Amino acid sequence: MSEIWSFISDDSLSLVDKTASFLMGEFCSSDVDPIWSAEYFHWKLGPVNPAGRGYISLAIADNRVVGTVSITRKRLIIDGNECIGGELGDGYSSVVMRQIGRPENLSQYDTNPNSYINKSIFGRLASETRARAEADGISIIYGTPNKNSFPRLTQRLGYFDSKTCNIKSFVHPTYRGITLIYPKTHSLKSTLKIIEACSVVFLRNLNKIWCGRNCTIEAEAPSPVELDELWARLKPVSGFALIRDAKYWCHRYQEHPLAKYVFFAVRESGKLCGIVVTRLYTALNGRRHLAILEWMTEEQVSFSRVIIEILYFFRNAEIDLFHCYANTSTKDASELMKSLFISRSRIPFIFADTPMARSLQSNCRQFDFHLGSTDAV
């Protein structure tokens, strides 16, 4: 492989086949459900995205993709005002090229050959992608980077960690997951299975008594009219959130080209008062995960009851772990813990350092953000 790589803006998506092949070949093992495809990039970065076309930058060597960074346009509502923002993602580069590669040309934004954006594939692609998005008027660019890209973005590429965004991951390991993590408990597998089943049934019956029987939770997708009406009632007047009307739910989940999702509709006396979306998928080492990706519920809905109903619905599926994101400053977090979930690590939430992004930190704004708010699952 050549040591020289060249920068390419592929916002036209002409090279997404090669991009998907690179990512699937180097960063998706054979025992994991597919993460990328050409159709996936057209879905998130093409004109079918309700927020508009996105941006993707590539590093190319020997006519092969060796690095990627994208920004997906997102419809946002900030303090009651709707705008278009961007989510930073797909930041990957070839391990070999990180060690031996050098750019064909220096960045137009920095002529120092020893600067980070000229020596790093990720740095160059991230800076170029952000510049194109900002040139188009996108003043809010955010992301939830992994531990490898977080320090590079916050220390070298002009992003800052939003300390006011208190999003954490929450998990509920099943008896299967416990015996995988702790092999010495394998002899107790049957007992743990019985304890788990009894706990879910007990909590389900208890929640039905507390919450009454006018509330129903069914595995079905609500109609677009119902979703638009629910969004109109729940649209936040302050804080940071994605616009989640019917157009959003349809594009994000029902039109996703790779994944299949299960919707749960929450109704009281027949009227839609909540929605939850889940996905069962195969993760690393062949483990089966159930992601509770996103929810939107009215105040009177008992979220713990909804979660228990989801655990009960999937009681016969072979699942190792249930997981989701939740804001620790909301009642959703405490409701999850009532439903046998454990709080784990904080999810880093970063913004490109712009005046508008900084203004979000001036007050204690609410961040309505979920695992499904990203395009990763």
Side-chain angles (χ1 to χ4, degrees):
M1 178 183 291
S2 170
E3 296 179 3
I4 306 298
W5 55 268
S6 58
F7 162 78
I8 289 181
S9 165
D10 190 36
D11 298 344
S12 65
L13 306 180
S14 61
L15 298 175
V16 287
D17 285 317
K18 291 183 178 181
T19 302
S21 295
F22 158 68
L23 292 169
M24 288 296 296
E26 290 209 25
F27 301 102
C28 186
S29 61
S30 59
D31 59 355
V32 171
D33 283 349
I35 301 173
W36 298 280
S37 69
E39 293 75 19
Y40 169 80
F41 283 111
H42 282 288
W43 167 80
K44 68 183 287 188
L45 302 177
V48 297
N49 181 348
R53 285 184 173 273
Y55 311 86
I56 186 166
S57 297
L58 307 176
I60 303 289
D62 292 338
N63 202 33
R64 294 171 55 196
V65 174
V66 294
T68 67
V69 169
S70 73
I71 290 179
T72 304
R73 287 196 187 219
K74 299 282 185 173
R75 297 185 302 149
L76 305 176
I77 182 166
I78 299 174
D79 291 340
N81 299 308
E82 297 184 3
C83 66
I84 299 296
E87 181 187 17
L88 183 72
D90 300 309
Y92 295 89
S93 58
S94 164
V95 175
V96 173
M97 290 302 291
R98 279 181 238 158
Q99 298 169 345
I100 67 170
R102 52 194 176 90
E104 181 179 25
N105 299 303
L106 298 180
S107 168
Q108 61 178 314
Y109 305 106
D110 192 333
T111 57
N112 179 1
N114 294 315
S115 68
Y116 178 69
I117 67 172
N118 280 318
K119 296 183 72 174
S120 162
I121 294 176
F122 175 74
R124 175 70 173 276
L125 301 187
S127 63
E128 295 274 1
T129 313
R130 173 183 170 182
R132 296 201 305 283
E134 290 182 335
D136 283 347
I138 296 179
S139 56
I140 291 290
I141 300 174
Y142 64 90
T144 52
N146 60 29
K147 63 181 180 181
N148 294 323
S149 56
F150 177 82
R152 301 171 192 173
L153 288 162
T154 55
Q155 296 172 20
R156 298 184 174 187
L157 292 171
Y159 286 76
F160 67 90
D161 186 9
S162 176
K163 299 295 186 181
T164 59
C165 184
N166 300 311
I167 307 296
K168 280 192 172 183
S169 64
F170 287 77
V171 300
H172 168 64
T174 67
Y175 75 94
R176 283 169 49 94
I178 291 171
T179 55
L180 283 171
I181 298 170
Y182 305 104
K184 291 183 179 180
T185 64
H186 195 272
S187 60
L188 301 173
K189 191 171 184 178
S190 297
T191 303
L192 292 172
K193 182 178 181 180
I194 293 171
I195 292 173
E196 179 178 295
C198 290
S199 299
V200 170
V201 170
F202 173 75
L203 288 174
R204 182 173 185 253
N205 291 332
L206 194 62
N207 271 288
K208 282 186 175 182
I209 294 171
W210 283 345
C211 304
R213 297 187 179 275
N214 288 331
C215 176
T216 62
I217 304 162
E218 302 292 341
E220 62 178 12
S223 71
V225 172
E226 288 180 304
L227 289 169
D228 277 337
E229 290 175 349
L230 182 64
W231 169 247
R233 296 196 299 272
L234 296 178
K235 182 165 52 175
V237 296
S238 63
F240 174 99
L242 272 64
I243 295 173
R244 299 192 291 165
D245 53 12
K247 190 184 297 184
Y248 168 80
W249 296 98
C250 179
H251 175 260
R252 172 62 183 90
Y253 299 108
Q254 293 177 316
E255 296 176 358
H256 195 288
L258 289 176
K260 300 298 181 184
Y261 302 93
V262 177
F263 283 71
F264 289 86
V266 185
R267 290 187 169 86
E268 284 190 351
S269 302
K271 180 181 178 182
L272 184 72
C273 57
I275 179 176
V276 184
V277 180
T278 64
R279 181 190 175 193
L280 180 60
Y281 67 101
T282 304
L284 287 173
N285 300 316
R287 296 185 180 182
R288 298 288 283 167
H289 287 192
L290 191 287
I292 303 174
L293 287 156
E294 189 164 1
W295 55 89
M296 186 168 70
T297 59
E298 295 196 77
E299 184 68 25
Q300 76 274 15
V301 172
S302 170
F303 188 56
S304 61
R305 181 181 174 188
V306 176
I307 294 299
I308 290 298
E309 284 294 332
I310 290 172
L311 296 183
Y312 183 78
F313 180 86
F314 288 103
R315 66 192 182 280
N316 295 323
E318 295 183 345
I319 297 173
D320 300 310
L321 185 77
F322 291 78
H323 68 108
C324 63
Y325 289 175
N327 192 321
T328 57
S329 63
T330 66
K331 71 173 185 178
D332 292 345
S334 59
E335 295 286 289
L336 281 166
M337 288 188 280
K338 288 179 186 177
S339 308
L340 310 176
F341 278 69
I342 303 167
S343 172
R344 296 288 299 275
S345 58
R346 174 181 178 265
I347 304 302
F349 197 95
I350 63 168
F351 283 105
D353 201 342
T354 64
M356 187 173 181
R358 282 292 180 183
S359 71
L360 292 175
Q361 311 305 302
S362 59
N363 298 308
C364 296
R365 285 177 167 86
Q366 181 68 43
F367 281 79
D368 190 1
F369 196 82
H370 303 263
L371 179 58
S373 301
T374 71
D375 295 319
V377 180

